[in-house]
Amino acid sequence: EGSMWKKKKRVIQVAGNPLYRTNVNRNQNLINPKTGTPLFGQYPSIATTRIQFEAGPIYLRYGEHHFTGHGWGMEHIWKARFAFALTFEEALPLVTSLVGKIISPGATIHYEFGTGSAAGRCAIFRSPTGIAIVERRLDGMNQIFYSVVTAIETTKVNGPVIGSI
């Protein structure tokens, strides 16, 4: 017979399980292990006939992953490229290393002429490491910065070269 008192569901937390990770701020800048600061690079001022990109720092933020092709930041790169890493602590050096290798001095910047929200996105290409897609954003003080959307190990990049890091 049914009881009017429902049993309370018990949840057991497992240390290190990403499902139980608490207090994650998706907009948190992660530290670049090469510099010990949140800075992964400096985007130069670029003017083309179709768009203007202001100079600004490049940050890798915690981000979020929905599914392949939909998400941004460290968590998106982790789940899409390094799914074998079971914890944030395991994935962090893999992701920061990939992003750091791509966004380095001399890396070329390509523009794919996106529309809408993609208009502020550029691909930074560092052969043979891969590409990183960065997006122009505004911080809380209306200052321009560039946020890493994703990073891919590939030698294919679209769009003309508009500058370099």
Side-chain angles (χ1 to χ4, degrees):
E1 291 178 30
S3 167
M4 64 184 252
W5 303 105
K6 289 187 177 184
K7 286 188 179 182
K8 193 171 185 173
K9 189 175 182 180
R10 277 184 70 194
V11 176
I12 300 170
Q13 182 163 344
V14 178
N17 187 329
L19 293 175
Y20 300 111
R21 192 166 171 77
T22 57
N23 299 328
V24 172
N25 177 352
R26 63 191 184 127
N27 293 317
Q28 174 187 346
N29 292 332
L30 300 177
I31 299 298
N32 180 347
K34 283 195 225 172
T35 64
T37 71
L39 191 65
F40 274 79
Q42 185 66 32
Y43 199 94
S45 177
I46 298 172
T48 72
T49 54
R50 294 199 44 195
I51 196 160
Q52 169 79 30
F53 287 100
E54 299 86 350
I58 301 171
Y59 298 123
L60 173 63
R61 301 191 299 167
Y62 185 86
E64 57 191 3
H65 178 73
H66 303 291
F67 50 88
T68 303
H70 289 79
W72 58 277
M74 185 277 176
E75 184 176 278
H76 179 58
I77 299 166
W78 164 20
K79 302 290 172 76
R81 316 278 176 245
F82 302 105
F84 59 85
L86 300 180
T87 65
F88 169 80
E89 290 74 16
E90 206 180 325
L92 184 62
L94 299 169
V95 173
T96 56
S97 173
L98 175 61
V99 171
K101 284 178 194 168
I102 296 168
I103 302 174
S104 58
T108 56
I109 300 170
H110 297 253
Y111 184 59
E112 298 181 341
F113 300 105
T115 57
S117 64
R121 290 186 176 180
C122 282
I124 297 175
F125 178 67
R126 180 71 176 181
S127 179
T129 308
I131 64 169
I133 306 295
V134 298
E135 183 172 58
R136 182 178 48 204
R137 312 288 294 164
L138 289 174
D139 66 14
M141 298 183 301
N142 263 2
Q143 298 297 310
I144 298 274
F145 72 96
Y146 293 83
S147 177
V148 177
V149 176
T150 194
I152 307 157
E153 291 179 289
T154 183
T155 55
K156 181 182 177 233
V157 65
N158 298 320
V161 174
I162 60 169
S164 63
I165 296 293

